[in-house]
Amino acid sequence: MYRGIGHSYIDRYDFQGAGFVLNPFGMCYKKYEDSSGNAYIGYANCSMYPDGSGTLYDLGVCVGKSGAHKVFRLSQGVDAFTWYLLNAFI
């Protein structure tokens, strides 16, 4: 993270450690903070199991005027609902 005189931005990132399987199709990234909002890197619908079963989470980091903030919440939205529905029959 870089925070200069102007807006903050994410110049590099790295995810380390075991625990969650990150879904590359669920990646969202905004490098620069601007008037419309914070910079962020995140992954939607992450599971702790390689087959994607179990509870899904949204994980990431937001970078803005007041520093960096983690994002860790239960997945929301139609995509998470659909995955839960389909996973029940697998």
Side-chain angles (χ1 to χ4, degrees):
M1 173 187 94
Y2 175 77
R3 185 164 186 230
I5 295 172
H7 294 291
S8 301
Y9 67 91
I10 300 171
D11 58 353
R12 65 184 174 276
Y13 60 91
D14 185 23
F15 290 96
Q16 297 179 0
F20 286 93
V21 177
L22 301 178
N23 179 1
F25 300 108
M27 181 182 173
C28 51
Y29 179 61
K30 179 181 169 193
K31 184 173 183 173
Y32 296 98
E33 174 191 25
D34 56 23
S35 60
S36 66
N38 294 335
Y40 54 83
I41 177 75
Y43 290 85
N45 302 328
C46 300
S47 173
M48 293 185 74
Y49 304 104
D51 65 355
S53 63
T55 305
L56 300 178
Y57 296 92
D58 296 336
L59 310 169
V61 174
C62 292
V63 178
K65 294 177 183 171
S66 58
H69 305 281
K70 65 182 177 184
V71 176
F72 181 83
R73 66 180 187 190
L74 289 173
S75 290
Q76 303 170 1
V78 175
D79 55 343
F81 173 76
T82 304
W83 184 256
Y84 284 129
L85 183 65
L86 293 175
N87 202 16
F89 299 104
I90 297 175

